[in-house]
Amino acid sequence: MVLSGAMVRSVLLIGSRIALMGALAAVTWSSLAPPDDLPSEIALSDKLLHGIAYAVLGVVAALAQRRPRVILTVLLLTAFGLLMEVLQDRTTYRTFDLADLYADALGAAIGVVVVAWPMRLAERRRARSDGA
């Protein structure tokens, strides 16, 4: 059985959406778990970890869309980061940190753009070659 290009794209889209749910769950757990429950072997800055986590979310969120909506996706991921910070503030072992939210937003923007930009360039090339 040979899969068509459309079928492959649909399978990748579904896989990306499942991966997004897993990534959101992982970020939620790591954001709300007590610090003692988190791996201590990772010797990176807290802000860098936030940026990396949200860059991964941005990549997966962009891949989970047929045509990524860059601004909307970054805003939604930033809102998710804000929700995590507010929920952290409601615990006895975490606090709200605006710098974490900035790192989340920057990471999300980088992640989304890294995927969306090449997708848009490829789309424009296809449109030009179809019109030629």
Side-chain angles (χ1 to χ4, degrees), residues 37-120:
D37 291 353
L38 299 173
S40 60
E41 302 84 34
I42 302 173
L44 295 175
S45 155
D46 176 55
K47 305 310 174 245
L48 183 59
L49 289 173
H50 275 264
I52 291 169
Y54 279 78
V56 169
L57 284 176
V59 165
V60 178
L63 290 172
Q65 303 173 61
R66 290 191 191 281
R67 189 168 189 272
R69 293 159 198 86
V70 174
I71 294 172
L72 178 62
T73 304
V74 171
L75 287 175
L76 288 173
L77 290 175
T78 302
F80 176 73
L82 176 61
L83 174 64
M84 292 299 102
E85 290 299 319
V86 168
L87 292 175
Q88 282 180 358
D89 204 44
R90 309 283 288 162
T91 69
T92 57
Y93 48 85
R94 298 271 188 141
T95 59
F96 183 101
D97 187 347
L98 195 56
D100 286 348
L101 185 59
Y102 292 148
D104 298 345
L106 180 60
I110 290 169
V112 171
V113 168
V114 161
V115 171
W117 190 25
M119 287 175 80
R120 296 245 171 112

